């Protein structure tokens, strides 16, 4: 468990349990007492008010009004929230879209200017369309959680992306491509990329991609992606 995920787990546990101990937290997140003590100190530095009661029956308590003083959401996390709302809106089944948009606007306001710039560049790569009713959806699988962070690095730094891909027949290949766009055809998500090996664009279903990694020494140029007429950029959908 990396530091960020562990910190989030600790905050959730403190909020949920009211009073807990270092040993209980250590067991819950699978870390040592020393690591949890260090994490508690780091969370306090970030603005969380965590009280310590010494002696038998004592423990740790998170102030219910406690709030962190700085935004901890990464660009990819805010992007994930935005595209989730966009996908639901495109599907026509988000009854509280106005409230969701208002909440996301508050989150965006808390981001520093450099992250806002990266978020806008990331969103420029996102397109929304409608899935054909004839599409077979029987083999949809969970997506690799490493995809979005890898996409963030690849898209923002214009780096080639390397991954394993399993096609509709189950055959596996190793691909190195130039990621150009992301396409949501709810409930399917696609990476649209230029495939140098085939000298053409290819659509890769994200739930069939695994082990993504960026090729750090291989920048590429942007290309115009020839989308169908019923596909629109996220910026148009969000108006």
């Amino acid at each position: 468990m990396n530091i960020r995920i562990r910190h989030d787990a600790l905050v959730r546990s403190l909020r949920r349990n009211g009073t807990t101990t270092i040993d209980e937290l250590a067991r819950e997140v699978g870390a040592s007492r020393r690591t949890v003590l260090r994490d508690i100190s780091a969370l306090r530095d970030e603005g969380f008010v965590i009280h310590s009661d010494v002696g038998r029956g004592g423990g740790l308590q998170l102030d219910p009004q406690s709030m962190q003083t700085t935004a901890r959401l990464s660009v990819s996390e805010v992007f994930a929230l935005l595209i989730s709302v966009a996908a639901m809106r495109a599907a026509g089944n988000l009854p509280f879209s106005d409230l969701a948009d208002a909440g996301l606007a508050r989150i965006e306001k808390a981001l520093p200017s450099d992250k806002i710039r990266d978020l806008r560049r990331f969103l420029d790569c996102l397109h929304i369309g409608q899935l054909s009713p004839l599409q077979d959806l029987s083999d949809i699988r969970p997506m690799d959680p490493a995809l979005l962070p890898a996409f963030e690095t690849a898209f923002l730094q214009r780096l080639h992306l390397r991954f394993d891909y399993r096609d509709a027949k189950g055959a596996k290949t190793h691909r190195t491509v130039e990621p150009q766009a992301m396409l949501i055809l709810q409930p399917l998500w696609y990476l649209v990329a230029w495939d140098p090996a085939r000298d053409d664009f290819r659509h890769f279903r994200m739930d069939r991609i695994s082990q993504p990694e960026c090729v750090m020494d291989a920048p590429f140029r942007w290309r115009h992606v020839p989308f169908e007429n019923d596909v629109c950029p996220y910026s148009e959908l969000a108006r």
Side-chain angles (χ1 to χ4, degrees):
M1 183 181 294
N2 65 39
I3 294 175
R4 185 181 187 83
I5 294 175
R6 193 172 63 246
H7 283 188
D8 290 341
L10 289 172
V11 172
R12 287 196 302 270
S13 180
L14 287 165
R15 290 194 186 281
R16 183 174 63 247
N17 297 330
T19 300
T20 188
T21 66
I22 294 295
D23 288 337
E24 289 171 345
L25 290 173
R27 285 194 297 271
E28 186 163 341
V29 301
S32 67
R33 281 178 52 86
R34 179 178 298 181
T35 296
V36 171
L37 286 168
R38 187 167 57 244
D39 289 340
I40 293 297
S41 177
L43 289 170
R44 284 170 170 156
D45 290 341
E46 292 177 8
F48 288 101
V49 179
I50 302 173
H51 303 291
S52 299
D53 297 327
V54 298
R56 180 173 294 181
L60 298 175
Q61 291 181 330
L62 177 67
D63 189 321
Q65 303 301 317
S66 176
M67 295 181 63
Q68 59 203 80
T69 57
T70 57
R72 298 176 63 231
L73 289 175
S74 67
V75 169
S76 59
E77 288 170 333
V78 177
F79 182 81
L81 290 171
L82 287 167
I83 60 179
S84 296
V85 172
M88 295 291 284
R89 184 186 291 111
N93 57 353
L94 184 62
F96 305 112
S97 59
D98 291 342
L99 287 174
D101 286 336
L104 286 170
R106 291 187 180 185
I107 291 174
E108 289 182 65
K109 286 180 181 178
L111 292 175
S113 58
D114 59 329
K115 286 191 176 182
I116 286 291
R117 182 173 58 252
D118 287 345
L119 179 62
R120 288 172 179 167
R121 290 173 56 198
F122 211 4
L123 287 172
D124 285 341
C125 302
L126 181 63
H127 291 71
I128 312 290
Q130 295 293 328
L131 188 68
S132 167
L134 301 179
Q135 176 69 46
D136 180 13
L137 302 176
S138 62
D139 63 341
I140 295 180
R141 301 175 61 183
M143 281 188 277
D144 188 331
L147 276 179
L148 199 53
F151 286 171
E152 178 184 358
T153 301
F155 278 104
L156 295 184
Q157 298 183 29
R158 300 186 183 183
L159 298 175
H160 285 75
L161 194 66
R162 181 184 297 130
F163 54 84
D164 294 329
Y165 191 71
R166 176 184 55 83
D167 65 20
K169 297 181 179 179
K172 292 184 179 181
T173 55
H174 193 63
R175 305 294 186 96
T176 300
V177 301
E178 302 171 2
Q180 301 288 335
M182 284 169 281
L183 174 62
I184 299 177
L185 302 178
Q186 188 70 2
L188 297 180
W189 299 50
Y190 292 87
L191 168 66
V192 183
W194 179 263
D195 189 343
R198 302 187 181 184
D199 197 31
D200 199 0
F201 286 104
R202 287 290 185 270
H203 287 58
F204 300 96
R205 263 181 48 177
M206 293 188 193
D207 60 314
R208 293 175 177 170
I209 297 175
S210 61
Q211 304 298 318
E213 60 176 337
C214 296
V215 183
M216 302 306 294
D217 59 347
F220 63 86
R221 65 181 177 87
W222 291 120
R223 301 172 186 266
H224 172 69
V225 181
F227 284 114
E228 299 292 335
N229 293 333
D230 59 347
V231 172
C232 71
Y234 169 83
S235 57
E236 293 184 10
L237 182 69
R239 290 172 184 171

